[in-house]
Structures are given as structure tokens and as C-alpha cells.
Amino acid sequence: MNAPGEGARLSDRQRLAWLQLLRSENVGPVTFRQLVNHYGSAETALEMLPELAQRGGAKRQIVIASRADAEREMEEARRLGAAFVAVGEADYPPLMRRMDQPPPLLAMKGDLSIVHRPTVALVGARNASLTGMKMARQLAATLGSAGFSVASGLARGIDAAAHQGSLDTGTIAALAGGLDKPYPPENCALFEEIAERGTVLSEMPFGWSPRARDFPRRNRLVAGIAFGLVVVEAARRSGSLISARLAGEMGRLVFAVPGSPFDPRTGGTNALLKDGAILVTEADDVISHIAPLLGRPISRPESLEEPPSFSAAPPPSDSDRDRITQAMGPSPVLIDDIIRHTELHPSQVLTVLLELDLAGRLERHSGSAVSLLPPDI
């Protein structure tokens, strides 16, 4: 991605174009990055969206965010004292840049220096026990006193306790909705405190009320901003286990606090321990494992250092598109396997996948896998 270099800044015009592209239909972090790599700028990519979506088989005109809508969202951010920070800019959370698909833009508010401290994520059950919440507050307070920021998702229960325990030392709240739509309502006062004394951030548009599908995206931010993630209480089907899985996939350390086998709220944490999570009974258990990781240079993932080249081969033909779509189906398949099977140049395959994505016909999975959706979805 043609992101600004370390410490550099986007111009106001570039930031507005980035926001407009990112808010357009079917443009996620991967698609955004490939579009900017392909066309050199968000402004040129915006002009090409209709043609690309049509090539991908879209049945209707793709919805492109208007410049006026992007300007209104920028103005709303300024009104609320927030800012849109681009990946590569100095205020962007450094560990989040190492994610497989970092959000191109984050809406952020508060003391942005907090995201540059070593961070530990702390999550758990919404219907937490008093003991669980006491443990979360104590862990957060001790980690904060040791120089760590504590990140969580502003949910009721363990999340709220983690934020409360680290308010004085530095806490980070990642939201599932826009920065003007904190959830749940009972944590709005806590949100305001964090916005004043800590950091709040979101990748969702202003005015966006969170839906069920948005919380895993929020969990991904919580996991991606930290060196490690601690689960205090979680049932076997808890969303906190999604956070733990995401953290493990990103190469972050996963910790769990053990609980009674008779309490269903700790079935998930005990299962994590059986699967190899690091046992935690006090903050030193976390600190001792993360301390050796500190001080090492934070490098970008290979996918950011060497973006795919779309000009290394001729544009794909209609027959190339047919070969690629015929190689795909509803089950996830690795992009490398599609390239090997079709014997096409990687840039041709990536171009067709980009077109399918913009047409709403592609689903992306972890591990660089994709699947094909029916044209009418």
C-alpha cells in the first residue's frame, strides 16, 4: 500500500480520498490495499470501481461513497475531537501495523501516546462473576503500574473492569460501532472517561450502530494492538474465545486465568489452558512472558513490505476469468493453490479476485484463503 512512510502524514486531500474509498461498497482492508497498489492513489481507484465491479459480475451499480459524505464524516470527527489516522502515520498503533489486514484508517480520540506503550489485551465474560471482575481490575492495575497499556472492548463485565483498573495508567477501548455510538449504553460514562484519560478507537464509520457481525471485527482490533491477550472468564461459546483465536493466528501470546470446573463462565478459559494457553494467577505471569519481547524492532509484515505487483503481466482475459472462477467454489481455497491450478500469473489472479470482491462475489478467510459467493449475494 502506498501508505505514508514512518512518521509521515497524508495530505488532507489524500486522507479524504482514503476515507471515501474505504467507505465504498465491498471495499475492505485487503481490497483497499490492492486498489491503491494497483492504481497508485485512492482517487484513481475510486474512478475505476464501477468498471472493476462490472468485470467481476456485479448485477447492479456499485455504491461509491460520495466526497460530500466523506467530508461530513471528517467534520463529525473534528467536532468530537477525534482524528482519522492512516496506517504508516506516527499515531497509528505500531503492533496493529503487523496485522495481516491492518485497517487503512482508524478513528482515534484521546491520549494517542498510550497506544505506543507496550500493550496487553484483557477480555472476558459479560456476565462475569464478582471474583472475575476483581481479578480483571487487579491485573489491569498491576500491568498499568508496570508500564503497560491495557486494551479491551468496552463490553460489560470483564472488559469494563479491565478499563476501570487501568484508567489511571493508560487504557485503550476498541469499539464495534462508530466513535459516536459507544455500546453498551450502561458503559457510556466509562467511554467518556476513557476518551478523556485514555484512548478510544474504531474502524467503523461515525453514526454506525454496532451489529452482531461487527463485534468479531472489534475483537480483531483488541487482539492486534497487543503483545498478548489475557482471557479472565469465558464460557465455551464466548466471543472472548474468538479474540483468543485471532490473537493466536496473529502470533500474539494467549493467556488464561483458570476457574472452577463447576462454573460455566470459566469453561472456555479452562479449555484454552488445555490447548496451551499460558496460565495466569497474577500479573507477573503476563509480564515475565512479554518482557523478553520488548525492545525488539517492530517490523511490518512481508505483505506490507512487498505489495503485489499488478503490472507484471498482461491484464486477465475473459477466458482467464472463467478459469479462475471455475477453480473456486463455496469452500475456502488458498490463493496460491488457485495460481498453481490455473497456471496464470499471480497478478492476473489477484486482479480477478479484486474484481470479484468489488462485485460482492468473494469471501476472504484467514490464511490467504478465498471462496466464491453466488452472484446474487
Side-chain angles (χ1 to χ4, degrees), residues 21 53 87 89 97 100 107-108 142 150-151 179 222 232 235 248 283 308 339 370 373:
L21 179 60
V87 61
E89 292 188 308
R97 293 183 65 192
D100 196 18
M108 302 178 67
T142 307
V150 174
L179 283 191
V222 173
V232 176
I339 294 170
V370 293
L373 297 169

Side-chain angles (χ1 to χ4, degrees), residues 2-22:
N2 292 335
E6 186 70 35
R9 289 180 57 83
L10 291 177
S11 68
D12 291 344
R13 177 175 172 175
Q14 287 174 315
R15 198 178 310 275
L16 188 65
W18 274 41
L19 183 61
Q20 188 180 352
L21 179 60
L22 190 60

Side-chain angles (χ1 to χ4, degrees), residues 3-360:
E6 186 70 35
R9 289 180 57 83
L10 291 177
S11 68
D12 291 344
R13 177 175 172 175
Q14 287 174 315
R15 198 178 310 275
L16 188 65
W18 274 41
L19 183 61
Q20 188 180 352
L21 179 60
L22 190 60
R23 298 296 189 242
S24 296
E25 186 180 13
N26 295 331
V27 178
V30 173
T31 309
F32 179 97
R33 173 176 170 265
Q34 292 182 350
L35 284 166
V36 175
N37 283 337
H38 195 172
Y39 294 106
S41 73
E43 291 171 300
T44 305
L46 283 164
E47 297 173 1
M48 295 301 300
L49 288 184
E51 180 180 337
L52 291 167
Q54 185 178 26
R55 288 181 196 161
K59 298 299 184 181
R60 57 173 176 78
Q61 190 77 8
I62 188 172
V63 179
I64 300 174
S66 70
R67 185 178 181 87
D69 285 344
E71 288 173 341
R72 278 193 290 270
E73 191 173 355
M74 284 283 193
E75 179 55 36
E76 181 66 7
R78 285 191 288 268
R79 188 182 70 80
L80 294 176
F84 285 102
V85 181
V87 61
E89 292 188 308
D91 287 332
Y92 197 89
L95 281 182
M96 202 175 283
R97 293 183 65 192
R98 295 175 60 183
M99 292 167 58
D100 196 18
Q101 302 168 17
L105 286 174
L106 284 174
M108 302 178 67
K109 180 180 179 181
D111 181 357
L112 303 192
S113 69
I114 289 173
V115 303
H116 291 276
R117 302 176 193 169
T119 302
V120 175
L122 208 161
V123 300
R126 289 172 170 80
N127 63 332
S129 68
L130 292 177
T131 300
M133 289 191 289
K134 180 180 178 181
M135 182 66 172
R137 278 191 291 267
Q138 183 174 311
L139 283 173
T142 307
L143 288 167
S145 297
F148 290 87
S149 298
V150 174
S152 198
L154 198 68
R156 57 178 68 93
I158 296 299
D159 286 24
H163 290 308
Q164 291 161 353
S166 54
L167 264 176
D168 291 334
T169 54
T171 193
I172 303 165
L175 274 60
L179 283 191
D180 57 342
K181 296 289 184 179
Y183 183 88
E186 60 262 38
N187 283 349
C188 284
L190 177 59
F191 168 82
E192 295 296 339
E193 280 196 89
I194 299 172
E196 288 292 325
R197 302 164 59 186
T199 308
V200 292
L201 56 85
S202 173
E203 64 176 320
M204 304 305 289
F206 281 83
W208 187 273
S209 296
R211 306 161 302 173
R213 72 178 72 173
D214 299 321
F215 290 96
R217 293 183 64 169
R218 183 276 315 271
N219 295 349
R220 185 170 168 271
L221 299 185
V222 173
I225 203 170
F227 280 96
L229 180 136
V230 184
V231 184
V232 176
E233 281 184 345
R236 287 188 176 272
R237 294 183 178 273
S238 169
S240 298
L241 300 189
I242 297 176
S243 300
R245 175 179 58 79
L246 292 169
E249 289 175 354
M250 294 180 203
R252 311 303 200 249
L253 297 178
V254 177
F255 303 85
V257 175
S260 167
F262 299 105
D263 188 342
R265 288 172 294 196
T266 62
T269 48
N270 290 340
L272 285 175
L273 291 168
K274 289 180 181 179
D275 290 339
I278 301 167
L279 187 146
V280 173
T281 59
E282 58 182 359
D284 281 347
D285 296 326
V286 180
I287 296 169
S288 64
H289 283 84
I290 290 181
L293 305 178
L294 305 182
R296 296 181 182 178
I298 298 173
S299 59
R300 299 184 189 183
E302 183 180 348
S303 59
L304 287 181
E305 291 289 1
E306 298 180 9
S309 172
F310 288 89
S311 59
S317 64
D318 288 342
S319 63
D320 294 335
R321 291 183 177 88
D322 289 341
R323 288 167 65 188
I324 292 168
T325 54
Q326 288 170 9
M328 301 171 62
S331 299
V333 60
L334 293 175
I335 294 174
D336 284 347
D337 288 343
I338 298 174
I339 294 170
R340 280 191 288 268
H341 176 77
T342 60
E343 298 183 339
L344 294 170
H345 193 279
S347 68
Q348 294 172 313
V349 173
L350 291 172
T351 297
V352 174
L353 295 180
L354 178 60
E355 294 168 355
L356 292 169
D357 206 353
L358 289 171

